Amino acid sequence: LFQETIEKLIQVDISENALKNAVDSEIPTVSVVADEEFLPFKEDTFDLVVSSLSLHWVNDLPRAFREIHQVLKPDGVFIGAMFGGDTLYELRCSLQLAELEREGGFSPHVSPFTAVSDLGHLLSRAGFNTLTVDTDEIQVNYPGLFEVMEDLQGKYILYGNINDFCMGESNCSWNRKPLLHRETMLAAAAIYREMYGNSDGSVPATFQIYYMIGWKFHESQARPAQRGSATVSFGDLAKIDGLLSRGKK
């Protein structure tokens, strides 16, 4: 962010400690402790709202999207990134199989994630238009399951050219088990290595990330042409090389 382009920055987080640890900036900045589902700002306040890897913690994602849409000015834009449905699928599957084998049932131990097929619908329903949704996957290799879980509980993860960031990704579900038995953990580690292990003995952990852009409607925005107003058929595109060659002659 540059002072020449950003007049004022409002940092919002439900955790006061997270705001205290924010990086200092030359841009005039105000920190506000607030819940994404109940943003304490007036309608049509911001030109831009940005969210980076925090929305998977939200209890009511549709409401959070509606709140973001409401505080944006007309022609304002929301840019966000959040963890997707395939995140940590290796860990989740290994824990479930181990619990089924050793305890006869399983409980979620990783917070639930949104499917990419639902994301565009949720943004559209919240009022956003001109949507862009993209997805990416990043794999991080670890010595074993216990190292994966140690990082997720609050350590730092480093992958390639990506900056370090603190995950703290334990499970926030109310119905989770308070602990995992030692026998179950050892079984899960063996399953993890057997099903997903690399040839060098390490195990991968997958992080799927959704990137999204949505705009708040304004009269000046470009609109799609009326249905049936096209003057060229898609079938004519196959003939375009021939038409261009005749035009040059």
Side-chain angles (χ1 to χ4, degrees), residues 169-184:
E169 296 300 332
S170 54
N171 185 9
C172 62
S173 300
W174 285 105
N175 63 341
R176 71 189 187 277
K177 283 185 179 180
L179 56 86
L180 279 167
H181 296 296
R182 181 174 181 274
E183 306 295 331
T184 303

Side-chain angles (χ1 to χ4, degrees), residues 53-65:
L53 302 180
S54 66
L55 286 173
H56 65 290
W57 282 108
V58 173
N59 290 314
D60 189 344
L61 189 59
R63 182 187 179 105
F65 283 154

Side-chain angles (χ1 to χ4, degrees), residues 72-89:
L72 279 171
K73 295 178 182 178
D75 202 33
V77 61
F78 166 59
I79 302 175
M82 66 182 295
F83 289 111
D86 286 341
T87 296
L88 299 173
Y89 73 86

Side-chain angles (χ1 to χ4, degrees), residues 64-75:
F65 283 154
R66 290 196 300 270
E67 289 285 302
I68 292 170
H69 182 269
Q70 179 172 299
V71 301
L72 279 171
K73 295 178 182 178
D75 202 33

Side-chain angles (χ1 to χ4, degrees), residues 89-90 94 138-145 147-148 189-206:
Y89 73 86
E90 304 98 338
S94 300
I138 299 170
Q139 276 199 343
V140 185
N141 292 323
Y142 291 89
L145 175 141
E147 287 78 10
V148 175
I191 292 170
Y192 202 139
R193 193 174 302 279
E194 179 64 27
M195 292 183 62
Y196 306 107
N198 299 315
S199 58
D200 63 358
S202 64
V203 296
T206 298

